[in-house]
């Protein structure tokens, strides 16, 4: 783990060419519930409820802060550099296991900002953050087979498919297959 992060429970603000990845704030709760709570986003994520209320979003934002402070999660609000206060998506490392130096990558983006490479850019920065700043050795991601766009993102950032878990998730009373991808620190460029 990066010494600066090891001795701090303050989540950093990360910058990419076009994005600011920042900690969520309570002011994000209403927009978070609106953007993440759309049927399109909820349909391909495992943990966002439908409907997703501003009250639940605020509870989640407080949980995100707690998880960072405990070193078990890093949830970042994704925003454009020109409007860093306006949330357009989320990128995260969750279920960080220090003993095994691994975490799970996740993300979603508002439909109006999809297809522009923002998620790929943010996910690549999460790999850098995870490997360099958090000292992880392995980062994996899972996505539902009905969401091939997610697989294309993982391929672009250098991950390799490791598995196909049949009917491993249940969404809208339907069982969904999950595809598992991963990358090791030594493979990250």
């Amino acid at each position: 783990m990066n010494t600066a992060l090891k001795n701090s429970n303050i989540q950093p603000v990360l910058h990419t060419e076009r994005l600011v990845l920042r900690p969520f704030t309570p002011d994000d709760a209403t927009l978070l519930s609106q953007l993440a709570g759309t049927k399109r986003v909820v349909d391909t994520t495992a943990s966002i409820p439908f409907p997703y209320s501003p009250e639940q979003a605020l509870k989640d934002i407080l949980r995100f802060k707690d998880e960072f402070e405990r070193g078990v999660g890093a949830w970042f609000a994704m925003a454009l550099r020109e409007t860093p206060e306006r949330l357009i998506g989320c990128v995260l490392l969750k279920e960080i296991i220090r003993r095994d130096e691994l975490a799970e990558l996740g993300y979603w983006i508002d439909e109006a900002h999809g297809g522009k490479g923002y998620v790929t850019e943010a996910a690549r920065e999460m790999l850098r953050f995870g490997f360099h700043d958090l000292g992880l050795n392995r980062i994996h991601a899972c996505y539902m087979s009905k969401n091939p766009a997610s697989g294309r993102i993982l391929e672009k950032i250098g991950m390799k498919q490791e598995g196909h878990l049949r009917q491993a998730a249940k969404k809208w009373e339907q069982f969904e297959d999950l595809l598992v991808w991963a990358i090791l620190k030594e493979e990250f460029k």
Side-chain angles (χ1 to χ4, degrees):
M1 178 185 241
N2 179 309
T3 308
L5 285 176
K6 187 187 230 181
N7 298 322
S8 172
N9 60 3
I10 298 171
Q11 187 172 344
V13 175
L14 307 175
H15 298 272
T16 68
E17 182 181 335
R18 301 177 296 164
L19 302 171
V20 173
L21 307 177
R22 60 169 177 77
F24 280 90
T25 70
D27 291 340
D28 293 317
T30 299
L31 191 54
L32 175 58
S33 74
Q34 291 169 358
L35 299 181
T38 65
K39 189 131 182 174
R40 183 194 66 83
V41 171
V42 173
D43 188 44
T44 57
T45 58
S47 60
I48 301 173
F50 187 80
Y52 188 36
S53 70
E55 295 77 23
Q56 182 59 54
L58 180 58
K59 286 180 187 174
D60 288 343
I61 288 168
L62 297 174
R63 179 176 52 85
F64 300 161
K65 183 178 186 302
D66 176 65
E67 285 187 11
F68 189 83
E69 290 171 354
R70 291 187 297 116
V72 298
W75 301 72
F76 288 86
M78 190 186 317
L80 299 176
R81 276 188 175 253
E82 54 270 15
T83 53
E85 70 288 339
R86 180 158 174 80
L87 171 71
I88 66 166
C90 175
V91 63
L92 58 111
L93 292 172
K94 66 179 183 176
E95 299 176 16
I96 297 171
I97 301 173
R98 294 286 177 199
R99 182 195 71 226
D100 298 324
E101 298 177 5
L102 61 83
E104 181 177 343
L105 172 70
Y107 44 77
W108 61 263
I109 192 162
D110 173 39
E111 190 170 13
H113 293 89
K116 298 175 182 162
Y118 296 136
V119 175
T120 301
E121 190 173 320
R124 190 173 286 119
E125 178 62 12
M126 276 298 92
L127 294 183
R128 188 213 57 79
F129 177 73
F131 292 135
H132 180 265
D133 296 353
L134 299 182
L136 301 176
N137 181 61
R138 172 187 163 84
I139 298 174
H140 66 276
C142 297
Y143 71 92
M144 294 178 197
S145 60
K146 68 181 178 181
N147 186 13
S150 197
R152 289 190 294 275
I153 290 166
L154 299 177
E155 187 173 17
K156 286 178 191 174
I157 64 173
M159 287 188 159
K160 295 179 174 93
Q161 185 176 343
E162 293 187 331
H164 184 138
L165 306 176
R166 297 175 304 139
Q167 297 185 7
K170 191 172 184 181
K171 196 68 174 192
W172 314 118
E173 299 304 314
Q174 292 277 53
F175 288 104
E176 301 288 345
D177 290 2
L178 294 180
L179 300 173
V180 181
W181 290 59
I183 187 169
L184 303 176
K185 183 176 187 173
E186 65 194 34
E187 298 167 337
F188 181 65
K189 295 174 177 60

